[in-house]
């Protein structure tokens, strides 16, 4: 598994992810997606939306407001239950989640070795003196305060006056925007059970100990579905969604050995959940949640009906009864998903005695689909042809032109950002005094580094096939030469 430091370094060097407000020293656990990062993240969201909403007859979309009525969060339980136990170090003033203190390495000044400083793995004792952590894990010297509950919602004020009546919150999840719009969607779209409402949007949590790059941050984006079903069919639908969502990640390139399902134990279930299963990914810091699929029962609709005084029910034509549907919630993080696809695509290998770094993105997710490269940047005819070809391809795919290095270095650069295909325009393409133009270009495959020469006139049709089927299926019986 690749170290997170390598992912962070590549992300900055190649324009995937930057520290927020970096020129001012940065803002903790807030991140800006660069030119390639925003393309990657948008592609993750695009394929999720297409597969979850546009390709299903039982799903519609929604984009609800970040700022909502404060009573929404009282009804949902967030004001009372959305807390973590927090402790402070009396010396360095750092804050930690009390229930996660032993998960991370801790600093220890060992008396058995005359006060030498050691970094001890989380949950382990010092090998020299046998002591376990009791002091601050960060500084190793300060005592910790007693745990107290800390609400994770960001509080703000609506309007020009900062007073209690104007208090509101930045939403900690997108789900509640769906629940409060249940009746609006039901009536306007004439939906019939079972049906779902999907949403992609920003959420905010004032995490005590955020970290691990973009895995846990205070501002993040969610891709959530609330799927409403008849009571009694919820367990079947829950399992169907678990199976479907698990398969989705492997479909877009994540290796199956890096994915697993983890059932929540009864004592860790959320107060609204009947059953929850997490899809976990083997991140550089270990197995961690990628997506949660919960059976939320009818808790949310009943709560909002009680607090708002508005009936949130479904009229069943067959039984002529009003019912409160049960809800299955697949909740994925766009940022965590993007990080997982980035980590899983990373490869290092040796080619002709040199290290080759490559991102093996699925073609649907790759930030750049095609790079058009001129073999000789001083040949105006080659450059002009390459620019025209790139402009034509850009009408359909995200294509770029690059002539800032030798062809070998250009290939390596595109490998490192995950571009599936490079197209090279050379002297043979445009012709010269010695030979007429053959009007063919060379396509190079990122993963195999194989090359094949094809007519420019056939290129759009060939690229469609390559994007859909991949290199082996398109050129299996074609005359291929190694780079």
């Amino acid at each position: 598994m690749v170290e997170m430091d390598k992912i962070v370094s590549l992300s900055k060097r190649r324009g995937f992810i930057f520290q927020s407000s970096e020129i001012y020293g940065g803002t903790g656990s807030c991140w800006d997606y660069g030119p390639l990062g925003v393309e990657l993240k948008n592609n993750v969201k695009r394929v999720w939306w297409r597969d979850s909403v546009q390709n299903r007859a039982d799903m519609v979309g929604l984009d609800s407001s970040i700022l909502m009525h404060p009573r929404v969060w009282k009804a949902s339980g967030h004001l009372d239950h959305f807390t973590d136990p927090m402790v402070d170090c009396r010396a360095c003033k750092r804050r930690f989640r009390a229930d996660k203190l032993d998960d991370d390495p801790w600093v220890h000044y060992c008396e058995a070795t005359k006060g030498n400083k050691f970094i001890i793995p989380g949950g382990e004792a010092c090998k020299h003196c046998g002591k376990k952590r009791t002091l601050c894990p960060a500084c190793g010297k300060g005592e910790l305060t007693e745990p107290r509950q800390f609400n994770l919602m960001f509080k703000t004020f609506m309007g020009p006056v900062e007073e209690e009546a104007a208090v509101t919150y930045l939403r900690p999840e997108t789900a509640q925007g769906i629940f409060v719009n249940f009746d609006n969607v039901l009536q306007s779209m004439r939906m019939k059970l079972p049906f779902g409402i999907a949403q992609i949007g920003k959420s905010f949590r004032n995490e005590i100990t955020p970290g691990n790059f973009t895995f846990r941050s205070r501002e993040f984006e969610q891709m959530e579905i609330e799927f409403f079903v008849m009571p009694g069919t919820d367990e079947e639908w829950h399992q169907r969604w678990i199976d479907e969502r698990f398969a989705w990640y492997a479909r877009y390139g994540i290796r199956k050995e890096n994915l697993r399902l983890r059932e929540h134990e009864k004592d860790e279930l959320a107060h609204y959940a009947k059953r929850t299963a997490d899809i976990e990914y083997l991140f550089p810091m270990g197995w961690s949640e990628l997506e949660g699929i919960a059976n939320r029962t009818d808790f949310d609709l009943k709560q909002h009906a009680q607090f708002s005084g508005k009936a949130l029910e479904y009229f069943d034509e067959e039984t002529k009864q009003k019912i409160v549907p049960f809800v299955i919630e697949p909740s994925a993080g766009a940022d965590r998903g993007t990080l997982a696809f980035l980590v899983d695509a990373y490869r290092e290998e040796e080619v002709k005695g040199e290290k080759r770094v490559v991102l093996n993105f699925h073609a649907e997710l790759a930030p750049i689909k095609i790079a058009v490269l001129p073999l000789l940047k001083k040949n105006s005819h080659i450059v002009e042809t390459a620019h025209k070809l790139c402009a034509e391809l850009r009408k359909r795919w995200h294509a770029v032109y690059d002539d800032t290095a030798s062809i070998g270095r250009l290939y390596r650069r595109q490998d490192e950002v995950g571009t599936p295909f490079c197209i090279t325009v050379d002297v043979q393409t445009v012709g010269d005094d010695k030979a007429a133009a053959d009007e063919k270009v060379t396509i190079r495959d990122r993963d195999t580094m194989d090359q094949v020469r094809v007519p420019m006139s056939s290129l759009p049709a060939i690229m469609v096939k390559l994007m859909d089927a991949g290199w082996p299926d398109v050129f299996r019986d074609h005359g291929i030469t190694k780079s």
Side-chain angles (χ1 to χ4, degrees):
M1 176 59 67
V2 62
E3 298 91 351
M4 189 67 88
D5 287 346
K6 287 188 176 181
I7 298 298
V8 175
S9 175
L10 181 144
S11 293
K12 181 176 181 182
R13 186 174 70 254
R14 292 304 186 197
F16 282 93
I17 302 171
F18 307 130
Q19 174 82 54
S20 177
S21 311
E22 185 177 17
I23 64 172
Y24 289 99
T27 301
S29 296
C30 295
W31 304 95
D32 298 335
Y33 285 82
L36 296 188
V38 73
E39 294 289 342
L40 174 61
K41 186 178 176 183
N42 282 343
N43 287 342
V44 171
K45 293 188 292 184
R46 178 182 55 81
V47 296
W48 182 90
W49 190 264
R50 182 194 63 198
D51 295 344
S52 301
V53 181
Q54 295 172 338
N55 288 351
R56 296 183 64 111
D58 57 359
M59 193 78 67
V60 294
L62 185 74
D63 184 8
S64 65
S65 173
I66 289 173
L67 298 175
M68 304 177 71
H69 195 288
R71 283 178 62 80
V72 168
W73 308 113
K74 182 65 175 178
S76 67
H78 283 83
L79 279 178
D80 298 323
H81 300 292
F82 196 58
T83 60
D84 280 339
M86 178 184 70
V87 294
D88 293 283
C89 173
R90 298 185 188 276
C92 71
K93 309 304 180 184
R94 290 276 300 275
R95 287 180 170 177
F96 308 91
R97 279 183 58 173
D99 57 339
K100 301 290 184 181
L101 277 171
D102 292 327
D103 290 355
D104 296 324
W106 56 285
V107 173
H108 176 54
Y109 292 90
C110 180
E111 295 178 358
T113 62
K114 299 182 179 180
N116 285 331
K117 179 181 177 180
F118 297 100
I119 306 298
I120 313 295
E124 296 186 12
C126 175
K127 295 180 180 179
H128 303 283
C129 66
K131 287 186 177 180
K132 290 190 175 183
R133 186 208 59 75
T134 57
L135 300 175
C136 171
C139 71
K141 297 179 178 179
E143 294 185 354
L144 299 176
T145 63
E146 289 296 316
R148 62 188 188 279
Q149 292 300 315
F150 174 76
N151 195 289
L152 302 180
M153 285 195 295
F154 279 100
K155 182 186 293 187
T156 186
F157 297 92
M158 185 84 77
V161 181
E162 294 188 7
E163 59 183 12
E164 193 65 27
V167 169
T168 189
Y169 302 90
L170 300 184
R171 66 183 181 194
E173 65 178 23
T174 62
Q176 301 307 319
I178 295 177
F179 293 128
V180 300
N181 276 293
F182 170 77
D183 193 60
N184 288 333
V185 173
L186 183 65
Q187 300 304 323
S188 63
M189 304 305 293
R190 301 299 175 186
M191 304 299 292
K192 293 185 177 181
L193 289 181
F195 73 90
I197 304 174
Q199 178 169 208
I200 298 176
K202 289 274 186 137
S203 294
F204 306 84
R205 295 180 185 179
N206 197 11
E207 296 281 0
I208 300 168
T209 54
N212 290 318
F213 199 25
T214 58
F215 176 80
R216 190 183 300 280
S217 55
R218 294 185 170 97
E219 176 185 344
F220 55 96
E221 206 160 3
Q222 290 181 295
M223 307 182 296
E224 287 195 311
I225 295 168
E226 306 304 329
F227 197 78
F228 302 94
V229 301
M230 285 285 191
T233 67
D234 54 297
E235 294 183 4
E236 176 189 351
W237 274 107
H238 191 198
Q239 189 59 52
R240 287 172 65 172
W241 274 109
I242 291 171
D243 296 341
E244 181 167 330
R245 293 304 305 148
F246 190 90
W248 187 84
Y249 291 97
R251 188 186 316 157
Y252 292 103
I254 288 188
R255 288 165 286 183
K256 291 183 178 179
E257 62 267 26
N258 290 336
L259 293 168
R260 73 180 186 186
L261 279 175
R262 186 185 74 85
E263 290 280 346
H264 283 212
E265 300 293 337
K266 287 187 176 180
D267 60 355
E268 64 174 322
L269 284 173
H271 62 279
Y272 53 74
K274 179 180 180 180
R275 177 195 172 199
T276 297
D278 286 346
I279 299 172
E280 293 190 330
Y281 175 74
L282 185 57
F283 287 96
M285 66 281 189
W287 289 100
S288 299
E289 181 190 349
L290 185 58
E291 175 170 347
I293 303 98
N295 183 341
R296 296 181 72 120
T297 68
D298 55 6
F299 172 83
D300 299 278
L301 293 181
K302 283 185 174 180
Q303 285 291 108
H304 287 299
Q306 176 185 338
F307 277 77
S308 68
K310 171 75 173 180
L312 299 177
E313 300 170 325
Y314 174 83
F315 181 73
D316 183 26
E317 292 288 351
E318 291 187 10
T319 62
K320 306 300 181 185
Q321 291 182 330
K322 291 181 179 180
I323 64 162
V324 179
F326 272 41
V327 180
I328 308 302
E329 179 191 68
S331 178
D335 302 276
R336 288 188 183 184
T338 299
L339 180 60
F341 284 115
L342 180 59
V343 168
D344 211 79
Y346 187 93
R347 305 283 193 282
E348 288 184 8
E349 55 191 46
E350 187 175 309
V351 177
K352 297 179 181 179
E354 295 184 357
K355 185 176 79 170
R356 176 184 185 239
V357 175
V358 58
L359 295 177
N360 292 114
F361 288 127
H362 188 286
E364 290 261 30
L365 302 183
I368 301 170
K369 311 301 185 191
I370 304 166
V372 180
L373 316 173
L375 189 63
L376 300 172
K377 67 177 181 180
K378 293 184 178 180
N379 185 314
S380 60
H381 200 179
I382 290 177
V383 170
E384 181 183 354
T385 302
H387 273 298
K388 287 182 178 179
L389 180 59
C390 186
E392 190 63 31
L393 293 170
R394 199 178 289 126
K395 294 176 181 178
R396 185 155 190 172
W397 300 282
H398 186 196
V400 299
Y401 170 91
D402 193 0
D403 64 3
T404 58
S406 66
I407 194 67
R409 289 185 179 275
L410 292 177
Y411 283 155
R412 292 292 181 264
R413 185 180 298 167
Q414 295 302 324
D415 290 343
E416 196 173 29
V417 300
T419 305
F421 307 107
C422 290
I423 297 173
T424 304
V425 180
D426 56 25
V427 175
Q428 288 178 269
T429 309
V430 301
D432 59 10
D433 295 339
K434 299 177 182 179
D438 67 2
E439 297 186 348
K440 291 184 178 181
V441 293
T442 299
I443 307 177
R444 174 187 181 268
D445 177 56
R446 175 198 63 203
D447 298 336
T448 64
M449 293 184 290
D450 288 339
Q451 298 183 10
V452 65
R453 199 165 178 81
V454 302
M456 276 196 292
S457 59
S458 303
L459 196 56
I462 290 173
M463 294 312 303
V464 169
K465 293 179 181 179
L466 285 172
M467 294 296 175
D468 290 342
W471 188 271
D473 289 340
V474 176
F475 287 124
R476 181 180 288 113
D477 299 322
H478 204 288
I480 295 176
T481 60
K482 280 282 187 180
S483 61

